[in-house]
Amino acid sequence: MSRTILLIEDNEQNRYLTTFLLEQHGHRVVSAPDGLRGIELARTLVPHLILLDIQLPTMDGYAVAQALRGIDSLRDIPIIAVTSYAMTGDREKALAAGCNGYIEKPINPDTFVAEIERFIPSQTPPPGSP
């Protein structure tokens, strides 16, 4: 079943690989190159899932996650941090900022889609969609 996934990622190669893997499994991927555009798109799309890089220009992923959690229509949308930040405490910091999950980069192409699909809600439209 096709789901809309918002990918907030500034690295073009990472966007390409993630999009390719998800589209191969029937998902629709919309991407944003920075946090501000990501927040804007999230409001408009109300996606089923948000994949969020932490190391973004202008506004880091922690601030983006907190901003997304402050928007009523997005409050229940799963946010997964996909990041190269893998030091002690980084996972906890991402979860404390409002993320539901944490996947380290580089991603494993063999397991990535299965890892994120377990966070996608089973209902057809996401909460707050028309």
Side-chain angles (χ1 to χ4, degrees), residues 60-100:
D60 71 25
Y62 303 120
V64 173
Q66 289 172 332
L68 291 169
R69 287 297 175 229
I71 301 167
D72 285 343
S73 62
L74 302 174
R75 200 159 305 220
D76 297 325
I77 304 297
I79 301 172
I80 311 304
V82 182
T83 180
S84 57
Y85 283 8
M87 301 297 290
T88 303
D90 286 336
R91 177 187 186 90
E92 292 72 19
K93 192 172 176 183
L95 297 176
C99 294
N100 302 86

Side-chain angles (χ1 to χ4, degrees), residues 1 13 23 30 42 50 63 71-72 77 79 90 92 112 123 128:
M1 183 174 292
Q13 289 175 317
E23 286 180 347
V30 178
I50 298 169
I71 301 167
D72 285 343
I77 304 297
I79 301 172
D90 286 336
E92 292 72 19
F112 179 72
Q123 80 265 19

Side-chain angles (χ1 to χ4, degrees), residues 26-88:
H27 299 292
R28 175 179 173 239
V29 179
V30 178
S31 61
D34 61 61
L36 292 174
R37 181 75 181 123
I39 292 166
E40 210 175 275
L41 275 172
R43 266 186 206 179
T44 313
L45 288 174
V46 188
H48 292 90
L49 179 83
I50 298 169
L51 297 176
L52 175 62
D53 184 20
I54 297 298
Q55 197 171 356
L56 292 167
T58 314
M59 180 181 199
D60 71 25
Y62 303 120
V64 173
Q66 289 172 332
L68 291 169
R69 287 297 175 229
I71 301 167
D72 285 343
S73 62
L74 302 174
R75 200 159 305 220
D76 297 325
I77 304 297
I79 301 172
I80 311 304
V82 182
T83 180
S84 57
Y85 283 8
M87 301 297 290
T88 303

